[in-house]
Structure formats: C-alpha cells, structure tokens
C-alpha cells in the first residue's frame, strides 16, 4: 500500500513523460518501450490519469497500427480489467465502444478466426491470445453496466460473439482463458434466473407459463436470458464441439492418428472436462430444448455417413456429461434416440478402429445414465449384451472399457439383474452364469477380476439367501475347479507349486476371490469356508518353499524373481483374508474359527522368516482383525505382539528408509491395538513396555509424514 501511495504521488512525472512520447514521436522502438512501461504501471495508477487525459485516445490511435498492436492491446487490457467506483462506469462504456469500432478495422466481421490463427504469424497469434485476455478481463468486471444500458447491447453482443469465435482457436491456453470466463458467465446467468424464479414464487407473483415471470412483467433473470439467447445457443454448440475427454474413456487417438488404449491420464484434460461439463449443465438447464435439438442434429449429421472420430467423440462426451440435467420424460426420449442410433452406427460401420471409437462412445454414454437403464429393462439388457460383445473385441482399450462400464452399470442397476423381468424365463444373472465361460474367454486376468466383481454386486442384491448361495456357487465353479485341480496335483507332487504357470493360476484364482468378496460382502462366507483350509495349506507350503530357497541361496535370494513369484501367492492369500475380515458380519465366527487358524501358519511364518521375506500384509491383516473384533481379540493380542513386535522393530529401526511398507503397517497395527485392546499392554513386561514407548517416540520423529502422524496418534492414546 505504501509503495502504491508513493507511486501515486510520483506518477504525474511518469505520466507526462509517457504522454509526451506517445504524442510526439514516431520512433517505433521508443513507442514500443513506452507502451511496455505503461502496461506495467497501469494497474497502479489513479483513475484520473487514465480517463481524464489523452491516454485512452492515444492507445486507441496506436492500436490499429501493426507494429504497436499487441503491446497497445496489453495496455488496453490493463485498463479494461480495472475495477473503479461506479461513477467511472460511463467511461468504461465509452472505452468499450471505441475499442469495438477500432477492432472492426483489424478484424472484419465474419472473419474465420480458427483458420486465420492456424495460418497466422507469431505476432498475429499473440494478438488473438491478447484479445481473449482483453475480452475476459473487461467483461468479468464491467458486463453489468453494459447490460443495464440498452444502447450498449449491440456492442456487448458483438464482443461476446468475438470471444466465442476466439474459443474455437486450436490453442489450449487460449481455450482455457475463454472457458474460465464462459463458466463464470453461464453460472451467473443461471443463478440470476434461479433467483428470479424463487423470488417470484416467494412473492406470490408466480406463473407456470414462464419460469421467472412476474405479474408485472418479465423478471430480470428472464431479461438476461432473452438478451443472451443467441449467445447461449452458440455456447452450447461450442461446448458440444470442443468437449474434453472424460476420465472413463480410455480409447483414444494418438499423435499418428491410430486408435489406441490410453496409457496415462492427462490431469489438465480432466480438469477441463469438469469445467466444460459444469458449463454445459448450466446451459442445459437454461434451455433443455435447444440442448437436445443441437445434440440430435449433430448426431443426425454423424449418422448421414459423414461421421468423424473427433466429431462423434465430442458429441458423445457432451451427451454423457449432462446426465440428470433434463426432465425425466425428455431425457428418456432423448436417450432412446441416441442409444438406438449409436447401436445402429456400430452395426453398419466397418473397420476395427471405427468400431472401437463407436464402442467406446456407446459404453461412455450408457454408463452415465443408470437411471434411464433402470427404468427401461429391454434397453438395459441390450446394452449389457452389447458390452459382452465388446469383451470379445481385442482392440486395445475396448475390453477394459467394457469391463469398467459393466462394473458401473452392475453397481447402479444390480437389483434389476436378480429380479425376474417381464417376458423373461429367468433372472438375467442366471442367464449370465449359464454363459459365463463363453463371455469371459477372451478377457485378460485383471479384466476377469473386474467382471467377477460386477457379478458379485448383482448376487449381493438377491435377498433370498438360498438363491444367493446357488448363484455364488455357480459363479465360483470355474476358479474353484482350477484351485481343486492344483491342490490335487500338489498333494501328489508338492514341486508342482513351484511352476511359474501354477503360481500365476493360484494368484489369479485368489485375486478373483478378492474381487467377489469385496463386492458381495458377508454372503461370501460360504465360499470362504470352502477355501479356508486349503488356502492356509497353500500359504504354509509356500512359506516352506521360500524358507528353503533362502537357506539354499542365502539371504539375498529373498529378492530373486522366483521367490517373489511364490510370495505373490502368500500376499494374495493375506489380501483375501483381510477383505473377508472387513466384510464379515459374524464376529463370533471370525473370533472362534478363523483367527485361531491364522496363528501358526501366518504369525509363525512371519516370526521365523528372514526380514526380506516377511510380508507387510500380515501386519495390516491383524490390524484389520483388531479393528473388527475389538475387545474380543484381547486373548490373542499377546501372541500377535510376540510374533511381530520385536522382529519388525529390528527391521525398521536400523535407518529411516528400509522396509517402508512394514513401517507404516507396523504402527497402524500398534494404533489399532492401543485403541481397541489397551488392557493388553499392561500384561507386557517392563522392558517390552519401554521398547514400545521408545518405538512411539521413534515413530513421531520419523521423516516419513504418514509414520510420524501415526506415532503422534499413538502418543495421544497413551
């Protein structure tokens, strides 16, 4: 503030010098330097120096001249972005009118800015970028005054038209600048409209004929909406034509024009999509009919045989983005047309890349409208069967997206799949299980896990426990058969378990079980009872194999690929048990049957293994058990501490870097014990208790933030 006051006192000299140069010299470099200096000063100067002198006229005079155009525009942008007392509003109105008149000489009406920008020089492209900054900066602060003056409406609408044309320019930074303004502009109009609607209803002057209308005339919100009707319609077209890619879409076009699977998310694009989605939803609320009309017209254009990848993509992303913004009846009618046309387009189009693009768009759109699918069983069944078709399509990304979409639909519409629908012979889940092997035969293991998670959600929606168990048994029959076959072979020859393909098969079966358990919840109990004994046997056998490999090859062999493969089965077993513990609702069964069975194979193995072969998942598993059983776990806590406390401390107190997973999960286990089984700590011997206190002090001094926070939480409990 003091610097600004000092500058205000001394600016007269700067102003006189700059004005002298601007009015009396023709030297290009001197004029450019003066304008650059002014651009830096203008946001600080008192208003009188701007509007009560020849400064604005001088800038307007230099603006049309090519050598000074950009730097003069930067000065004008600084002036237009100033916020001043209300008495200066008239000056800003005159300023904007003068600017618009000068701009016409540089940028004639009907100029195709998109083409001009592509073929323009660096200076010309910089001019368009600066023009975007001028319009957004000026309109953010001064549009209320222009709206209040009918005489200024024409020039205001012309400015907004220019900004829409600039928004089509293929430059990410320019579009971001424009998009930020459009988001604010549309949100403000919607808020005004909604306020007028609520105000009219509250005052009793409410009419069903025109939302926001009053008995005395048109409400201010409706006046603004009427003023900008044409602009809002063009904005809808802009958002539809330039819609950014949403996160769910993973089938994309690469730099060489090939359709590929996306390998890395672009956070800038995701942020842009969220802003555009919000803007288009506001636009849709302001005029449902125009939104629907524009989207269907563009879809008809795509269906007429002139479709393009980008055109169909942006249209479908826009359609998906406005889910829930239309009235239900209108949305239903709209979606019937959209989905039917997209399915037809997929049928008649040839070429793997083309089909992949259409498939990704169908999957995105249907995934965004679960409410519509719940209300229309035939469409839901058609869509899901289409997803099953896409699961056989080997084009990169299509199968992943089909599985992701199926999971989303199963989550939102799960009840529909277990109820017998009209004109159906059996619930859809029964039909799905009949054809299970054929449906998933072309999927990769991680895709099969996703598929099983989806079906688990469906089965969980069945209220009849007998039917639910039957569905679960049929679902798990294929992985159970693989599991039983391997166990049988291992009983005859334990070395079978060391084969890499067998290890992969066991890991996949366990991960499939994790997927089903996580989505099905407690009803998974029947499958867990079936798996439990053989699973712990496998865990023990792999523990022995890992131990033998380390004895034979030395401690460093714990990091060999062979040992890591075997440990992956152990990790999968622990992950499945932890998931089941989290989902199980029968705590007594958990405490009496499952927890005692874990003590010897899991805790005993952890205590006796070399540090590099200890699984950190053991610590997180027992933390989950303590959180679930609370005081019921107290009899077992001493055994847990005996097995993990000192061995883990010996691993993690050597330095602050080694065994990062063990560190975090060890202190999470201690936190769970102190929170839920605090009495057990009194049974510890004085040396053990001192070691515990020392470990807590060591934890909150840790350089790793998560470990330090857990240490402080432990200290708070004490």
């Amino acid at each position: 503030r003091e610097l600004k006051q000092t500058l205000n006192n001394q600016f007269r000299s700067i102003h006189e010098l700059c004005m002298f140069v601007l009015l009396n010299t023709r030297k290009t470099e001197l004029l450019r330097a003066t304008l650059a200096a002014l651009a830096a000063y203008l946001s600080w100067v008192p208003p009188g120096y701007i509007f009560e002198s020849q400064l604005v006229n001088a800038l307007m005079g230099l603006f049309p001249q090519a050598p000074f155009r950009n730097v003069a525009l930067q000065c004008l942008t600084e002036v237009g972005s100033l916020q001043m007392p209300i008495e200066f509003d008239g000056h800003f109105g005159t300023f904007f009118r003068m600017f618009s008149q000068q701009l016409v000489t540089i940028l004639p009406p009907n100029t195709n800015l998109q083409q001009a920008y592509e073929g323009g020089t660096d200076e010309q492209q910089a001019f368009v970028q600066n023009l975007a900054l001028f319009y957004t900066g000026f309109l953010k602060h001064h549009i209320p005054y222009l709206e209040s003056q009918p005489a200024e409406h024409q020039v205001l609408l012309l400015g907004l038209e220019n900004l829409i044309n600039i928004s089509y320019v293929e430059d990410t930074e320019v579009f971001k600048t424009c998009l930020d303004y459009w988001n604010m502009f549309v949100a403000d109009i919607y808020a005004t409209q909604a306020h007028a609607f609520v105000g009219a209803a509250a005052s009793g002057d409410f009419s069903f004929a025109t939302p926001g209308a009053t008995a005395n005339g048109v409400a201010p919100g409706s006046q603004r909406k009427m003023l900008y009707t044409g602009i809002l319609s063009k904005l809808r077209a802009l958002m539809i034509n330039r819609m950014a890619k949403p996160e769910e879409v993973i089938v994309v076009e690469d730099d060489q024009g090939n359709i590929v699977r996306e390998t890395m998310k672009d956070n800038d694009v995701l942020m842009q999509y969220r802003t555009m989605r919000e803007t288009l939803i506001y636009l849709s609320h302001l005029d449902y009919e125009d939104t629907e009309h524009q989207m269907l017209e563009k879809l008809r254009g795509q269906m007429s045989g002139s479709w393009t990848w980008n055109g169909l993509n942006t249209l479908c992303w826009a359609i998906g983005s406005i889910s829930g913004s239309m009235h239900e009846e209108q949305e239903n009618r709209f979606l019937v047309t959209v989905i039917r046309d997209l399915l037809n387009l997929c049928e008649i189009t040839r070429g793997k890349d083309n089909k992949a693009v259409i498939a990704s768009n169908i999957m995105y759109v249907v995934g965004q409208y679960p409410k519509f699918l719940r209300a229309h069983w035939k469409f839901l069944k058609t869509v899901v069967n289409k997803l099953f078709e896409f699961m056989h399509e080997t084009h990169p990304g299509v199968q992943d997206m089909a599985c992701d979409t199926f999971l989303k639909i199963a989550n939102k519409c799960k009840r529909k799949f277990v109820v017998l629908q009209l004109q159906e012979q059996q619930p859809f889940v029964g039909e799905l299980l009949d054809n299970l092997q054929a449906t998933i035969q072309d999927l990769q293991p991680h895709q099969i896990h996703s598929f099983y998670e989806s079906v688990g959600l469906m089965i969980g929606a069945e209220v009849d426990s007998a039917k639910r168990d039957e569905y679960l048994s049929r679902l798990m029959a294929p992985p159970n058969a693989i599991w039983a076959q391997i166990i049988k072979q291992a009983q005859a020859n334990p070395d079978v378990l060391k084969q890499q393909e067998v290890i992969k098969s066991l890991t996949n079966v366990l991960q499939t079980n994790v997927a089903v358990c996580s989505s099905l919840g407690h009803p998974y109990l029947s499958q867990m009872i079936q798996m439990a004994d053989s699973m712990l046997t496998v865990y023990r056998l792999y523990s022995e194999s890992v131990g033998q490999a380390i004895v034979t090859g030395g401690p460093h062999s714990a990091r060999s690929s062979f040992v890591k493969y075997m440990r992956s089965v152990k990790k999968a077993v622990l992950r499945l048990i932890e998931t089941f513990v989290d989902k199980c609702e029968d705590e007594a069964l958990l405490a009496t049957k499952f927890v005692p069975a874990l003590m010897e194979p899991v805790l005993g193995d952890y205590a006796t293994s070399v540090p590099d072969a200890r699984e950190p998942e053991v610590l997180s598993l027992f933390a989950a058990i303590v959180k679930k059983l609370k005081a019921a776990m107290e009899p077992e806590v001493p055994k847990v501490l005996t097995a993990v406390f000192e061995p883990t401390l010996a691993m993690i107190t050597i330095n602050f870097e080694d065994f990062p997973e063990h560190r975090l999960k060890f202190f999470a286990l201690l936190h769970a014990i102190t929170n839920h089984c605090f009495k057990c700590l009194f049974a510890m011997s004085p040396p053990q208790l001192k070691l515990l206190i020392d470990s807590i002090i060591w934890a909150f001094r840790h350089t790793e933030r998560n470990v330090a926070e857990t240490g402080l939480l432990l200290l708070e409990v004490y």
Side-chain angles (χ1 to χ4, degrees):
R1 185 181 295 176
E2 291 178 6
L3 285 173
K4 188 171 183 179
Q5 187 60 45
T6 303
L7 180 63
N8 287 347
N9 296 335
Q10 299 176 356
F11 190 72
R12 178 183 295 276
S13 302
I14 299 171
H15 177 263
E16 288 176 355
L17 174 62
C18 290
M19 288 306 302
F20 178 81
V21 174
L22 292 178
L23 297 174
N24 293 286
T25 188
R26 293 184 179 179
K27 293 182 178 178
T28 303
E29 290 306 315
L30 181 56
L31 281 169
R32 288 171 66 90
T34 304
L35 289 169
L38 267 176
Y41 281 120
L42 280 171
S43 60
W44 291 69
V45 305
Y49 285 108
I50 296 173
F51 291 115
E52 294 172 10
S53 70
Q54 295 296 310
L55 178 60
V56 171
N57 288 331
L59 292 173
M60 290 293 182
L62 292 170
F63 173 53
Q65 300 178 40
F68 316 116
R69 186 170 296 157
N70 275 317
V71 69
L73 182 53
Q74 289 169 4
C75 293
L76 294 171
T77 300
E78 292 295 334
V79 173
S81 301
L82 292 173
Q83 291 178 275
M84 293 188 180
I86 194 169
E87 57 265 23
F88 286 93
D89 282 352
H91 290 293
F92 280 107
T94 304
F95 168 80
F96 192 66
R97 201 180 320 112
M98 290 171 62
F99 176 83
S100 300
Q101 289 167 355
Q102 293 284 36
L103 183 62
V104 170
T105 63
I106 303 167
L107 207 66
N110 303 320
T111 301
N112 188 325
L113 265 178
Q114 190 176 357
Q115 288 182 1
Y117 187 87
E118 286 179 10
T121 63
D122 290 346
E123 279 284 313
Q124 290 167 334
Q125 290 183 348
F127 172 72
V128 175
Q129 294 163 5
N130 289 327
L131 193 58
L133 292 171
F134 172 84
Y135 275 124
T136 55
F138 183 89
L139 294 171
K140 275 178 187 175
H141 302 302
H142 305 297
I143 199 170
Y145 172 75
L146 298 178
E147 288 177 349
S148 69
Q149 305 296 314
E152 307 289 357
H153 285 181
Q154 184 177 354
V155 72
L156 167 60
L157 295 176
L158 176 63
L160 291 169
E161 290 257 11
N162 285 339
L163 190 56
I164 288 175
N165 291 334
I166 293 170
S167 302
Y168 277 101
V169 163
E170 291 293 337
D171 183 289
T172 303
E173 294 306 316
V174 171
F175 184 70
K176 280 183 185 176
T177 301
C178 298
L179 179 60
D180 287 343
Y181 176 73
W182 292 131
N183 181 252
M184 185 192 73
F185 171 74
V186 174
D188 186 51
I189 293 176
Y190 175 77
T192 308
Q193 176 85 354
H195 181 72
F197 185 89
V198 172
S203 66
D205 295 331
F206 177 72
S207 167
F208 281 108
T210 309
T214 67
N216 301 321
V218 181
S222 293
Q223 287 179 339
R224 292 189 77 198
K225 182 179 169 183
M226 289 167 61
L227 172 63
Y228 295 124
T229 298
I231 295 296
L232 294 174
S233 182
K234 290 180 179 179
L235 271 180
R236 289 183 194 98
L238 172 68
M239 295 298 144
I240 293 168
N241 288 319
R242 295 213 59 176
M243 180 58 69
K245 184 183 74 63
E247 186 173 10
E248 296 88 340
V249 176
I250 57 176
V251 178
V252 296
E253 184 179 357
D254 67 8
D255 294 336
Q256 285 74 44
N258 301 314
I259 298 299
V260 297
R261 188 197 190 286
E262 185 179 52
T263 54
M264 189 178 296
K265 297 291 182 187
D266 188 331
N267 289 328
D268 284 345
V269 172
L270 295 181
M271 289 298 296
Q272 186 175 311
Y273 168 76
R274 293 187 186 110
T275 306
M276 294 186 77
R277 176 177 178 272
E278 182 181 297
T279 306
L280 190 55
I281 287 173
Y282 283 131
L283 289 165
S284 181
H285 279 304
L286 287 167
D287 193 335
Y288 306 111
E289 283 74 17
D290 186 56
T291 305
E292 179 185 9
H293 173 74
Q294 290 207 38
M295 288 181 170
L296 291 180
E297 277 297 308
K298 187 169 182 184
L299 181 59
R300 274 191 282 272
Q302 296 289 313
M303 292 293 295
S304 66
S306 59
W307 79 282
T308 62
W309 291 347
N310 185 62
L312 189 67
N313 283 341
T314 54
L315 171 62
C316 291
W317 300 341
I319 290 171
S321 73
I322 61 167
S323 170
S325 65
M326 294 183 178
H327 297 301
E328 186 172 350
E329 185 181 337
Q330 183 183 14
E331 185 175 271
N332 289 345
R333 185 182 67 245
F334 172 62
L335 279 176
V336 166
T337 304
V338 169
I339 295 174
R340 186 187 61 225
D341 285 355
L342 287 174
L343 290 172
N344 288 340
L345 185 61
C346 191
E347 290 297 322
I348 63 175
T349 302
R350 296 291 173 264
K352 290 182 72 68
D353 282 356
N354 292 336
K355 280 188 174 293
V357 170
I358 299 169
S360 75
N361 285 311
I362 291 173
M363 290 186 283
Y364 174 66
V365 170
V366 297
Q368 297 302 108
Y369 289 90
K371 187 177 177 183
F372 167 80
L373 295 176
R374 284 197 298 269
H376 299 81
W377 166 249
K378 287 190 176 180
F379 261 100
L380 175 56
K381 184 178 180 182
T382 302
V383 163
V384 171
N385 283 328
K386 199 68 182 176
L387 291 176
F388 292 168
E389 283 183 33
F390 293 151
M391 289 178 189
H392 300 291
E393 174 56 64
T394 55
H395 198 289
V398 173
Q399 289 174 311
D400 281 317
M401 199 167 172
C403 292
D404 292 347
T405 307
F406 181 48
L407 179 59
K408 183 185 289 189
I409 291 175
N411 188 33
K412 298 292 186 180
C413 309
K414 47 183 174 273
R415 183 70 186 144
K416 293 291 177 182
F417 297 109
V418 294
V419 174
L420 181 61
Q421 302 291 339
L422 197 63
Q423 299 178 341
E424 299 288 348
Q425 301 297 318
Q426 61 176 334
F428 184 82
V429 69
E431 184 181 328
L432 182 155
L433 293 170
D434 289 340
N435 302 300
L436 178 63
Q437 291 282 50
T439 303
I440 65 173
Q441 65 183 5
D442 294 323
L443 296 179
Q444 298 299 311
H446 72 280
Q447 296 161 347
I448 292 175
H449 303 154
S450 174
F451 186 92
Y452 267 73
E453 183 180 352
S454 305
V455 183
L457 287 167
M458 294 180 186
I459 295 173
E462 176 56 69
V463 293
D464 185 328
S465 60
K467 284 186 180 179
R468 196 169 55 218
D469 288 345
E470 182 214 338
Y471 291 149
L472 177 60
S473 176
R474 291 170 64 188
L475 175 65
M476 301 309 297
N480 284 349
I482 296 171
W483 181 268
Q485 183 184 6
I486 293 173
I487 296 299
K488 186 177 179 181
Q489 291 173 351
Q491 287 171 345
N493 178 16
D495 287 341
V496 166
L497 295 178
K498 297 179 182 179
Q499 296 174 12
Q500 191 168 325
E501 285 305 313
V502 170
I503 293 173
K504 282 185 179 179
S505 295
L506 287 174
T507 305
N508 283 330
V509 170
L510 289 165
Q511 288 172 341
T512 302
N513 277 270
V514 171
V516 175
C517 183
S518 65
S519 61
L520 180 57
H522 181 72
Y524 179 79
L525 176 62
S526 59
Q527 170 71 7
M528 189 64 181
I529 290 172
Q530 185 178 339
M531 290 273 296
D533 291 341
S534 59
M535 189 166 60
L536 289 176
T537 300
V538 167
Y539 189 92
R540 185 168 53 249
L541 288 171
Y542 275 110
S543 296
E544 292 171 0
S545 296
V546 168
Q548 290 170 3
I550 292 171
V551 168
T552 306
H556 293 294
S557 63
R559 300 180 185 179
S560 68
S561 59
F562 174 60
V563 170
K564 284 181 179 178
Y565 265 121
M566 293 194 290
R567 289 179 63 193
S568 69
V569 179
K570 294 175 65 180
K571 289 176 183 290
V573 169
L574 295 169
R575 178 77 182 105
L576 175 56
I577 298 172
E578 185 177 341
T579 305
F580 174 71
V581 167
D582 180 55
K583 300 294 181 180
C584 183
E585 297 169 6
D586 190 341
E587 294 180 8
L589 179 68
L590 204 60
T592 57
K593 179 174 174 60
F594 288 101
V595 172
L598 297 175
M599 290 300 174
E600 189 277 321
V602 175
L603 282 182
D605 169 62
Y606 187 91
T608 57
S609 295
V610 299
D612 282 327
R614 287 181 183 141
E615 310 301 340
E617 289 79 9
V618 172
L619 303 173
S620 60
L621 167 60
F622 279 92
I625 292 172
V626 171
K627 287 177 187 175
K628 173 67 82 171
L629 298 181
K630 300 181 174 63
M633 187 63 184
E634 286 181 357
E636 306 291 348
V637 166
K639 299 175 189 174
V640 175
L641 288 175
T642 300
V644 306
F645 189 60
E646 292 188 27
T648 309
L649 274 180
M651 292 164 58
I652 65 176
T653 52
I654 297 171
N655 55 47
F656 285 119
E657 289 82 32
D658 293 343
F659 306 107
E661 284 189 81
H662 291 78
R663 294 169 191 277
L664 190 55
K665 291 177 179 178
F666 173 69
F667 287 107
L669 172 60
L670 290 186
H671 187 235
I673 290 172
T674 53
N675 259 351
H676 303 294
C677 304
F678 192 78
K679 292 178 184 177
C680 296
L681 302 181
F682 296 114
M684 298 178 76
S685 65
Q688 286 178 320
L689 203 55
K690 183 181 183 305
L691 192 58
L692 178 62
I693 300 297
D694 289 343
S695 68
I696 294 172
I697 295 170
W698 185 84
F700 66 69
R701 289 176 173 174
H702 203 285
T703 54
E704 174 64 39
R705 180 181 173 183
N706 292 337
V707 175
E709 285 181 354
T710 307
L712 289 170
L713 289 172
L714 275 166
L715 188 63
E716 184 182 25
V717 173
Y718 275 100

